[in-house]
Amino acid sequence: MSRITVGLAGNPNVGKTTILNNIAGKNLKVGNWAGVTVEKAEVEFTYNNYTLHIIDIPGIYNLTATSDAEKAAVQFLVDGEIDVIVSVLDSSNLARNLLLTVELMELEKPTVLALNMADEARSKGLELDLGKLKTILQTDACFTVANSGEGIDELLDKIINCFENSHDPAKLKYSENVESVLTTAAQKSGQPAQSKYDAIRALESSEQEASEAERTLGVGITKAINDERWKLASSIAKSVTASSKVKEKSVSNKLDRVLLHPFMGIAIYIALFYLMFKISFDFSAPYMDWIDGFMNNFLATASSKLLITLGVPDVVTRFVSEAVIGGVGFVLTFVPLVAILYFFITFFEMSGYLPRIVFMMDRFMHRLGLHGNMMTPLLLGFGCNVPAIMATKNMSSKKDKILVTMMIPFMSCPARLVVFAFFAFIFFDNPALVIVSLYGIGVIVALITALLLRKSFLKGKAANFLLELPPYRLPSLKTVSRIVWAHVKRFIYKAGTFIFLVSIVVWVLLNLPPGIKSADESIAARIGKTITPVFEPIGLSDWRATTSLIPGFLAREVVLSSMGIIYKTSTEDSLREKADENLAPLLKEQAVELWESIKSSFVSVASLGFSTFEVETSDEGSEGLRETIQKSFTASSAYSFMILLLIYNSCVATVAIMIREIGRKASFLFLGYSFVAAWLLAFVFYNVSNLLWP
Amino acid sequence: MTLSELKQDAEAELLGSFSNNNPHINKVEAMGLRSGAKIVIRKIHGRNIVVQVKDLGVDLVIDKELAGMLEVS
Ligand SMILES: Nc1nc2c(ncn2[C@@H]2O[C@H](COP(=O)(O)OP(=O)(O)OP(=O)(O)O)[C@@H](O)[C@H]2O)c(=O)[nH]1
Ligand SMILES: [Mg+2]
């Protein structure tokens, strides 16, 4: 079986990753803006007896790179082992896209063209003559619609065909003057160039040859070649475009008139941001309530009953009830919130709105000595800090890259949100407002950090700003659901693996040394009590809170599972009672409540009020988890706890990617800084709020 | 006249750039802002200009410093 290495190359945002996802059934990150993919991603699969090794390459406009992502892309295209280059083009913008195709063809490697976004070209009224295009460029080509999969099989066949007949890749011809300059230079140097690309680079890098060429051509060689490429690209585009009744981009223009308005645009953005949280909370709260009830009232009882009936030792039954249901189950309660939040984030990233905000924010950022290019990674940080830090590969200045990397961890992610949501729901009347205030504090701390760095270690001026605004695109519900589901799966997987492991450790430490009468005497409690003095000034004097913080330094959600376990274990529940419960009525009750939840989720979104988690008092006198936690905190200590989690960079995945991108020393310095900043801020908030609302 | 001097809604044709071999200008050109391109200024916002390249249907944001290197008719 032959193995074919295929490189997907093209302008940013033409659908390269979407093609790869479609071919290989993957879920690599896509979005409607330029620069989503920042490092090459590879997949391998079998097709018609061939092993296709397909590589998605970050988008580029030409082979002159300015950022890390572009440099990696260009280097791979020029020097990498690629059997077939697939030049992916946006069919609705052929002239501009062909410019890169022409430059790619200078590499003289086997090439196939994928004219993607054929649907958009059609709806614009463009008719393209594929046959003519193939004849002019002497390369195979086909139309594709990566979203729907149209043309993908044909593309694969063409790739294989190209590989099998790749002995003599097409060679471009520029104007006679340019060709003769290139030939003369190659003859003089004595070594024949491997490709036109090599010949051009050799000529550009030899000062003497370059100035001689300039004398002959009347302009610099780089400019002359650029002009040649452009002339060729635009003349090809013109001759293959059959129809002229092209429709205006009227929808995008109209939307931009409002969304890019200096004041209205910003106001709309803030309103949308707030609305996103409000709807997320209102819609998900009833479901979370239901899952919580289901776990504690039904699942805990049912599993205890089953285990007791089976004669399993009490310690195992307790483990399942406290660590598995109390810890992992507690985190899973938040799945509805995570899902709906990712729904909005995905919609936002796929719609084309993101680069507009980046543009709007440049004005403000510029005043602070920062610039709009920094905004994309920062906005991505709201989805997850890890890909956000990766996105700094799009920046051309090393200093800016470090600066932004040190701002990103203050952008609150959904993992933090679930913790905030829990506290906001039980301690505050308007949870959405509390959350938005926390996001705001994160942004302010990020800006202060950036200003401090700009004034000290990372002096420099704001870089140039250059950005393409893609057309608005309405993502299909299918695409959005698929992406959301991938995020939700990751959340659940993490709960079942990483969080589960940590839960075991926490639970074991809560039950050691053997024979203790209450969790208060456990090793976990002792550790918690040792560090409590550090957190007492910020209002955290309960060892259960501080102990939960320790594993929480691995990932934020772990704070919740740990709290679930610690607070549950420390309030003793009688297992034996559960064995006597009758499950049938309990199950019926759950079904009724689920129906109620569905109804109230839609009602609460429609109304303007806020839904809150109800803190139920159970009849038997044993306290519910929320109630126990409510007694352990005050509103101000809960807020200070949230600030600590917001600001301190407590996520191993983020730290790991930081180390990879900006080095160990800077990352650990930052970690220290973020802890001190978090503590100080929490201290101020806690004490001020105690003064104001004693 | 340079691109940075144009007013909102102004239409013009790009004549070329003043820079020789500036990688950023190379990129600007590869994005579609090159001599011969017919453009319209859609928005001016702080230091940035939203330019639409009419024949390509591409919207680009470019800061005034870079725009100052592009000559227009
Ligand atoms: N209408 C339409 N939209 C498409 C098509 N292919 C991709 N898209 C959308 O175009 C946007 C860009 O897709 P990506 O796959 O992220 O583009 P990319 O080329 O990988 O972009 P970079 O990684 O930034 O270089 C996404 O919003 C896709 O949903 C298509 O054939 N038709
Ligand atoms: Mg991509």
Side-chain angles (χ1 to χ4, degrees):
Chain A
M1 198 155 57
S2 306
R3 187 167 186 276
I4 313 177
T5 302
V6 182
L8 295 174
N11 277 181
N13 208 33
V14 294
K16 299 176 295 297
T17 309
T18 313
I19 289 183
L20 183 75
N21 283 344
N22 197 300
I23 291 178
K26 290 278 167 185
N27 227 326
L28 298 171
K29 192 171 177 67
V30 296
N32 187 15
W33 82 90
V36 180
T37 306
V38 289
E39 0 182 81
K40 55 185 186 6
E42 322 187 9
V43 297
E44 214 173 85
F45 73 106
T46 343
Y47 179 80
N48 282 357
N49 263 329
Y50 288 87
T51 303
L52 293 177
H53 173 214
I54 304 190
I55 300 160
D56 181 23
I57 303 169
I60 45 174
Y61 289 101
N62 55 20
L63 294 179
T64 325
T66 53
S67 69
D68 284 355
E70 287 172 356
K71 274 178 204 152
V74 172
Q75 199 199 357
F76 181 67
L77 281 165
V78 173
D79 301 324
E81 295 280 326
I82 307 178
D83 297 317
V84 177
I85 294 180
V86 174
S87 171
V88 184
L89 300 97
D90 173 353
S91 315
S92 66
N93 182 9
L94 209 53
R96 215 271 305 273
N97 280 255
L98 276 170
L99 185 68
L100 178 67
T101 304
V102 166
E103 201 171 347
L104 286 173
M105 288 185 69
E106 288 173 2
L107 296 168
E108 289 167 12
K109 295 184 182 181
T111 304
V112 174
L113 312 189
L115 276 76
N116 195 38
M117 307 212 174
D119 55 333
E120 291 196 354
R122 279 194 292 261
S123 69
K124 260 185 167 181
L126 278 172
E127 271 173 43
L128 302 174
D129 187 339
L130 204 59
K132 216 170 186 178
L133 181 67
K134 289 194 226 176
T135 319
I136 300 174
L137 284 175
Q138 286 172 36
T139 44
D140 215 349
C142 64
F143 287 115
T144 55
V145 180
N147 283 342
S148 70
E150 183 187 323
I152 295 293
D153 281 346
E154 193 187 348
L155 177 65
L156 292 178
D157 294 334
K158 293 204 184 294
I159 291 170
I160 291 171
N161 204 14
C162 175
F163 173 74
E164 293 298 352
N165 304 301
S166 63
H167 323 292
D168 193 17
K171 290 188 174 57
L172 294 175
K173 278 255 176 302
Y174 291 140
S175 71
E176 262 172 46
N177 288 350
V178 171
E179 288 292 341
S180 81
V181 163
L182 287 173
T183 324
T184 321
Q187 277 163 357
K188 273 195 201 154
S189 73
Q191 330 162 297
Q194 295 288 318
S195 63
K196 182 162 256 121
Y197 176 85
D198 285 335
I200 295 169
R201 288 291 132 126
L203 178 52
E204 281 174 335
S205 57
S206 148
E207 233 170 80
Q208 196 199 334
E209 297 298 331
S211 58
E212 210 158 291
E214 187 165 348
R215 265 196 303 281
T216 320
L217 298 168
V219 284
I221 180 69
T222 307
K223 180 163 174 15
I225 298 276
N226 273 337
D227 287 346
E228 289 290 327
R229 289 178 188 139
W230 189 257
K231 238 191 300 183
L232 188 60
S234 46
S235 74
I236 299 173
K238 205 180 237 163
S239 69
V240 303
T241 308
S243 132
S244 55
K245 49 169 202 301
V246 179
K247 289 177 198 145
E248 279 272 312
K249 301 201 317 177
S250 54
V251 180
S252 279
N253 282 352
K254 272 182 199 141
L255 268 175
D256 275 346
R257 215 156 284 157
V258 183
L259 295 179
L260 297 186
H261 189 275
F263 308 109
M264 227 179 347
I266 297 277
I268 291 175
Y269 172 54
I270 293 172
L272 285 177
F273 199 72
Y274 177 76
L275 219 62
M276 172 177 96
F277 285 116
K278 190 186 139 34
I279 296 177
S280 300
F281 285 156
D282 289 357
F283 193 76
S284 61
Y287 296 104
M288 298 199 292
D289 246 347
W290 180 79
I291 297 177
D292 189 53
F294 179 80
M295 296 258 184
N296 289 307
N297 299 338
F298 179 75
L299 207 60
T301 312
S303 66
S304 298
K305 190 178 163 97
L306 178 74
L307 292 172
I308 290 168
T309 319
L310 288 176
V312 170
D314 264 9
V315 62
V316 177
T317 314
R318 271 190 46 227
F319 171 76
V320 171
S321 147
E322 291 168 359
V324 181
I325 298 176
V328 177
F330 188 32
V331 172
L332 290 179
T333 312
F334 293 89
V335 164
L337 179 63
V338 170
I340 184 157
L341 200 77
Y342 271 119
F343 176 84
F344 284 119
I345 291 177
T346 306
F347 192 87
F348 168 73
E349 291 187 359
M350 299 292 285
S351 64
Y353 187 35
L354 184 141
R356 265 89 185 172
I357 296 167
V358 170
F359 161 69
M360 295 298 288
M361 289 296 178
D362 181 70
R363 184 177 202 169
F364 169 71
M365 299 281 278
H366 189 58
R367 288 212 185 120
L368 303 174
L370 311 172
H371 57 87
N373 290 337
M374 298 175 162
M375 274 309 286
T376 311
L378 290 176
L379 288 172
L380 291 180
F382 289 131
C384 176
N385 290 179
V386 174
I389 292 177
M390 303 240 307
T392 61
K393 281 181 184 292
N394 279 328
M395 312 196 62
S396 37
S397 142
K398 178 88 187 155
K399 274 185 187 171
D400 286 358
K401 180 189 165 90
I402 299 175
L403 190 91
V404 180
T405 305
M406 292 191 170
M407 292 170 83
I408 290 169
F410 300 120
M411 302 290 120
S412 188
C413 54
R416 268 168 268 195
L417 184 75
V418 293
V419 187
F420 299 164
F422 177 71
F423 280 94
F425 273 131
I426 58 177
F427 287 100
F428 301 92
D429 293 335
N430 185 344
L433 200 62
V434 170
I435 306 282
V436 172
S437 76
L438 285 163
Y439 273 67
I441 291 173
V443 171
I444 292 169
V445 173
L447 289 175
I448 293 174
T449 306
L451 290 181
L452 290 175
L453 288 170
R454 258 293 186 255
K455 295 255 173 319
S456 55
F457 305 105
L458 301 171
K459 286 203 179 82
K461 75 175 191 84
N464 285 120
F465 189 51
L466 188 59
L467 177 81
E468 182 165 357
L469 297 180
Y472 289 98
R473 293 193 167 102
L474 189 67
S476 74
L477 202 60
K478 196 177 126 212
T479 311
V480 176
S481 320
R482 209 193 51 238
I483 297 173
V484 170
W485 174 233
H487 284 296
V488 169
K489 247 188 349 202
R490 207 169 306 142
F491 185 81
I492 296 176
Y493 179 80
K494 196 171 172 189
T497 51
F498 180 69
I499 294 178
F500 180 57
L501 283 179
V502 177
S503 299
I504 296 177
V505 175
V506 171
W507 187 81
V508 168
L509 289 181
L510 270 173
N511 286 284
L512 285 180
I516 49 169
K517 279 191 211 69
S518 81
D520 209 23
E521 301 160 11
S522 67
I523 295 180
R526 263 181 263 164
I527 300 172
K529 284 173 187 166
T530 321
I531 64 159
T532 302
V534 178
F535 298 99
E536 230 158 4
I538 62 170
L540 307 176
S541 46
D542 189 332
W543 69 266
R544 294 175 298 184
T546 51
T547 309
S548 318
L549 268 178
I550 302 171
F553 289 150
L554 297 172
R556 267 92 169 197
E557 311 93 306
V558 181
V559 169
L560 280 185
S561 60
S562 306
M563 284 187 116
I565 299 167
I566 294 170
Y567 280 84
K568 196 165 174 128
T569 309
S570 58
T571 53
E572 283 146 44
D573 239 342
S574 167
L575 286 174
R576 290 288 156 193
E577 267 172 30
K578 293 196 169 151
D580 305 329
E581 293 255 21
N582 192 350
L583 292 180
L586 275 184
L587 193 60
K588 204 171 144 213
E589 198 179 298
Q590 289 306 317
V592 174
E593 279 176 16
L594 178 61
W595 175 237
E596 291 298 320
S597 304
I598 295 172
K599 274 195 295 189
S600 71
S601 71
F602 285 96
V603 170
S604 64
V605 168
S607 76
L608 282 171
F610 286 98
S611 41
T612 44
F613 256 157
E614 280 155 40
V615 180
E616 298 160 25
T617 352
S618 37
D619 329 320
E620 305 101 47
S622 80
E623 290 178 335
L625 177 66
R626 292 169 193 168
E627 212 180 0
T628 324
I629 291 180
Q630 202 178 29
K631 280 189 187 151
S632 166
F633 289 85
T634 61
S636 41
S637 68
Y639 200 84
S640 119
F641 188 78
M642 289 192 278
I643 289 186
L644 195 71
L645 281 177
L646 166 75
I647 304 296
Y648 176 54
N649 185 19
S650 54
C651 167
V652 272
T654 306
V655 175
I657 196 84
M658 266 184 119
I659 291 175
R660 205 186 86 180
E661 292 298 320
I662 64 169
R664 204 175 290 268
K665 198 171 139 209
S667 304
F668 283 117
L669 275 174
F670 177 76
L671 209 58
Y673 163 80
S674 73
F675 184 80
V676 172
W679 191 92
L680 283 176
L681 210 61
F683 179 78
V684 171
F685 269 89
Y686 179 66
N687 287 292
V688 170
S689 66
N690 274 346
L691 276 179
L692 293 178
W693 301 282
Chain B
M1 190 158 74
T2 70
L3 179 66
S4 60
E5 293 164 74
L6 292 175
K7 298 272 174 303
Q8 179 140 343
D9 297 325
E11 301 201 6
E13 185 175 327
L14 266 168
L15 299 176
S17 72
F18 295 124
S19 106
N20 197 9
N21 236 345
N22 172 336
H24 286 285
I25 288 294
N26 274 346
K27 189 166 167 181
V28 171
E29 292 186 340
M31 287 167 98
L33 277 180
R34 53 168 303 114
S35 62
K38 300 204 172 46
I39 54 163
V40 51
I41 305 294
R42 287 190 45 204
K43 202 129 230 155
I44 300 173
H45 189 68
R47 66 162 176 155
N48 296 314
I49 306 173
V50 182
V51 187
Q52 188 164 75
V53 185
K54 282 190 8 197
D55 15 11
L56 300 179
V58 180
D59 288 321
L60 300 172
V61 179
I62 181 170
D63 71 76
K64 284 183 179 160
E65 193 187 332
L66 281 176
M69 289 193 243
L70 299 175
E71 198 183 3
V72 294
S73 66

